Amino acid sequence: IVAEIEKKITEAFEVFDRESNKTVDVREIGCIIRSLGCFPNEAEVQELLAQIEVEEPGGFIHLEQFLPVMTKVLLEKRFWPIPEDVILHAFEALDENKCGYITKEDLVKYLTKE
């Protein structure tokens, strides 16, 4: 199972490895992690980056440094998305008229004022 996880991580990493040199820009790490089905917030991404040896601030991450850290994240099932039923329940709570949808205006209000 570890080999399968490492293969999945490597494939995701290679999508962002524009120069095919087993490195990616440090700013791409959050996108790579999220493409693997994990959803950390930015502070959690920074914590992961602290575990990876970065050659220079704002520099590049090597696959060999990223792979063990991300393998551990996937094996521990960290940063999984909120379950669908929980999200559905939240939207149902916001759907005051029970019409099956939330208007854009109401969503903006809930996200910015409530």
Side-chain angles (χ1 to χ4, degrees):
I1 191 161
V2 172
E4 289 175 29
I5 289 173
E6 288 180 345
K7 182 177 186 255
K8 183 177 175 181
I9 294 167
T10 300
E11 288 171 354
F13 191 93
E14 288 172 348
V15 169
F16 293 87
D17 181 6
R18 289 168 180 56
E19 297 188 22
S20 299
N21 61 359
K22 304 261 187 240
T23 63
V24 296
D25 188 302
V26 69
R27 295 171 292 188
E28 304 278 18
I29 293 299
C31 292
I32 296 169
I33 294 169
R34 291 179 185 99
S35 77
L36 290 164
C38 297
F39 298 93
N41 61 39
E42 284 306 309
E44 291 166 329
V45 171
Q46 293 307 312
E47 288 174 19
L48 287 175
L49 285 172
Q51 297 174 32
I52 301 170
E53 292 180 32
V54 181
E55 287 185 5
E56 57 190 75
F60 293 87
I61 302 285
H62 291 273
L63 176 60
E64 63 192 34
Q65 295 161 325
F66 179 71
L67 194 57
V69 173
M70 197 61 214
T71 300
K72 185 176 179 194
V73 165
L74 291 178
L75 286 172
E76 293 174 355
K77 298 185 178 185
R78 292 172 58 195
F79 312 123
W80 292 111
I82 296 171
E84 197 173 298
D85 62 319
V86 174
I87 294 171
L88 181 59
H89 183 69
F91 273 98
E92 288 171 347
L94 298 176
D95 181 11
E96 295 171 350
N97 299 325
K98 306 298 178 215
C99 55
Y101 64 89
I102 302 169
T103 65
K104 177 183 171 184
E105 293 77 18
D106 283 344
L107 185 58
V108 168
K109 179 182 85 171
Y110 293 132
L111 292 174
T112 59
K113 297 178 184 166
E114 301 285 330

